[in-house]
Each structure stands twice: as structure tokens, then as C-alpha cells.
Amino acid sequence: MTVGLTYTPNIQFAPFYMAKKDGKYAANVTLRHHGAQEGLFDALQSGQEHLVIAGADEAVVATSNGNDLVVIGGYYQSYPACLIVPEDSAINVPADLKGKTVGTPGRKGETWYALQLAMATGSLTESDLTIQDIGYTQQAALVGGKVDAVVGFSNNDAVQISQSGTPVRTIQVADQIPLVGASLVTTRSLLDSHRQDLQAAVKASIEGMNAFVKDPDTAIETSKEHVQDLVDSTQAARAREVAVATGKLVSGDGSHPIGSVRVDDVASMIEFLSSHKLLGDKKAPRATEVCVPLGQ
């Protein structure tokens, strides 16, 4: 069984490194990092992977575009995408974006969904602000004053911009966020044919998540085998900040068990994505079909 990690080696995948090193996964489980240009679900759809760490929201959108994906476990209990502004910015709530320029990596994925939610929260439309596609140059755009705010992730973009010497604040895009972030995703056919193996992999992953939240220092040590830069003490210290910030997303507000995912939350998310015309037209996702929790 192959677990796909949708990015190059990074401290944010430490829970899965830890579960592997601690022997929580079955002996036949391998971890596979994606290349920079690889689609989130390509390897899963082709059968190269059996489980992938990806946004539940992105899985639902992919399903609406004809893929047959199922969320079987949780990872982030809090949504990672947020607004990031300079510390002395006059922007304090989403409504303050009116008349401002906001940088976004592109018009798809979690940062785009988060911006849609921020505009809804602030009763804004696209005509009320300037949206600038900046790719993954949030730091340069914000520091250089090209934009007033960027949409990014609280556990890496915000941390890294701050580490570079520019004090920033994060602003939640809504009080109640109906989006579900990084989760454990498989396909319907794999769920039907490998349910027990997947259930064991979800359970092992959750053990890794709990270990990660409790001990970021061990997370750094374990990740050194995968992230070569961490042998440098400065890089390790910076990665520890990312690990702690990621741990907050994994834990959430403590109201739900680590690693859990809820059908009701996915139903609310589908409603939001549909109402904002973010879903494709090939298939109408149903919460009970795209979310089958195996870990609780």
C-alpha cells in the first residue's frame, strides 16, 4: 500500500514519517512524495497510490468533475487557509478588504475557496476589491507592497514570512468555516476492495498525528531522514515553528478527536461550494458518498 504525500518532503508530513518509523503502519506500507508538477489525485486515480493526503474540499471538487474520491479520515481539524497582512495593516476583518488588492496563488484550490469565503463574510463581491494572481510568491508580493493582503496558509506562509523579518498577522476568513482541509482520501473502488487495509492505515496515521502534536522535537528528528535541510540547526528551529503551527491545525479547538472527519461537516462544505459555483457539472457529490469515516 502506498500513501501519497502531495508535496516535496516537508515537516508538515511528519505525522506520517513518525507513524512509519514507529512501525504503526503495516510492513507493506510505503510513503511517496509527489513531484512539484504532479496533480493531487493523479497517482491515486492511476492506482499508483492507495491513500493520499489532500484537502477534503479539493477531493469533493474533483469528484464533481468526474473523479470518484472518498474522504476516509481527517488530518487538519482547523482550516489552514487565511488572510495574511502586515502587522500594522488597517485590515482587521474580511470586510476591510474593500478597495484593497489581494494576492492569491490562483483561482483554484484551498486559497481560492478561502478567498470566496472571506468575500462572503465581508459581504463583498469581486468588483469590491482587486484580486491579483501572484502564484506562490506571497512573501515577495506582501513584503514588496504589491498587494495589501495575501491568501495563504497559517502554518507555513504566515510563519515563513514572519521568519524572513516581516511581522504579519493572520485573519480568519469566517467565524465558522464550512470548508474541510487536509484529510485522508482514497477512491471508491479502493475502499470497496481494500477497506481493512485502508482502515489500518488511517488508524496508524492518527497515531502518528497524536505523536506529532505531543512532541514536535521528535517530529523534527524523525523528519531529518526525509528533509535534508533539517540537519542545519537554523533550518531545524524554523521547521519546529512550522511543526507547532501545523500541530494547532491537527488539534483544532479540541472539540473533535485528532484524525476524525464528519459527514455533517462535509455536507455543509458541499452546500458552500455549490452555492459559490465552485463545483463541476459532471457529478453532484453527496456527503454520505464522499465521506466514509474509517478512523472513528
Side-chain angles (χ1 to χ4, degrees):
M1 172 172 287
T2 300
V3 177
L5 308 175
T6 44
Y7 194 60
T8 52
N10 190 278
I11 188 63
Q12 294 165 74
F13 295 121
F16 310 97
Y17 303 153
M18 294 171 84
K20 178 67 175 170
K21 185 171 184 180
D22 292 344
K24 303 299 183 184
Y25 288 121
N28 67 338
V29 171
T30 58
L31 303 180
R32 176 186 177 270
H33 282 281
H34 286 197
Q37 302 304 316
E38 187 174 339
L40 286 178
F41 305 110
D42 292 353
L44 188 65
Q45 295 287 93
S46 69
Q48 189 176 1
E49 293 173 354
H50 302 84
L51 185 64
V52 69
I53 317 306
D57 43 12
E58 292 172 308
V60 165
V61 171
T63 295
S64 75
N65 285 311
N67 293 327
D68 201 9
L69 305 174
V70 187
V71 178
I72 58 173
Y75 182 25
Y76 290 174
Q77 296 300 316
S78 295
Y79 201 67
C82 61
L83 299 171
I84 304 170
V85 299
E87 193 172 59
D88 59 359
S89 169
I91 300 170
N92 294 297
V93 294
D96 294 337
L97 293 175
K98 188 169 185 177
K100 305 295 186 184
T101 299
V102 182
T104 178
R107 294 177 177 245
K108 64 178 183 178
E110 294 193 332
T111 50
W112 182 244
Y113 309 153
L115 182 54
Q116 298 302 303
L117 182 53
M119 289 192 293
T121 300
S123 300
L124 303 173
T125 65
E126 285 196 39
S127 62
D128 292 317
L129 60 152
T130 301
I131 299 173
Q132 200 170 105
D133 292 349
I134 58 173
Y136 291 98
T137 63
Q138 289 105 318
Q139 182 171 321
L142 196 64
V143 173
K146 294 179 181 177
V147 297
D148 300 300
V150 296
V151 191
F153 295 105
S154 63
N155 60 324
N156 55 23
D157 298 312
V159 173
Q160 289 164 7
I161 294 171
S162 181
Q163 288 173 342
S164 74
T166 300
V168 293
R169 288 183 287 111
T170 60
I171 299 171
Q172 290 290 341
V173 292
D175 289 336
Q176 297 292 325
I177 298 179
L179 297 166
V180 182
S183 302
L184 309 181
V185 182
T186 190
T187 65
R188 171 58 60 180
S189 60
L190 283 167
L191 178 58
D192 290 342
S193 61
H194 292 77
R195 190 182 184 103
Q196 284 189 308
D197 292 338
L198 287 166
Q199 189 157 10
V202 170
K203 182 176 182 291
S205 298
I206 292 172
E207 290 187 51
M209 292 173 205
N210 277 289
F212 170 72
V213 168
K214 289 175 184 171
D215 194 350
D217 293 313
T218 297
I220 297 294
E221 285 303 312
T222 302
S223 298
K224 286 179 180 178
E225 296 175 26
H226 305 266
V227 187
Q228 308 305 321
D229 291 352
L230 297 185
V231 296
D232 177 81
S233 59
T234 301
Q235 293 298 325
R238 290 186 168 192
R240 191 184 189 283
E241 288 186 52
V242 173
V244 170
T246 302
K248 291 177 181 176
L249 297 177
V250 176
S251 299
D253 62 7
S255 60
H256 299 292
I258 287 175
S260 63
V261 66
R262 294 154 295 284
V263 175
D264 287 351
D265 289 351
V266 171
S268 298
M269 176 173 68
I270 291 171
E271 190 177 323
F272 171 82
L273 293 170
S274 176
S275 66
H276 285 75
K277 298 179 171 54
L278 295 167
L279 295 178
D281 56 9
K282 290 189 177 179
K283 183 178 179 181
R286 296 177 58 178
T288 53
E289 293 176 358
V290 295
C291 182
V292 180
L294 296 185
Q296 63 255 38

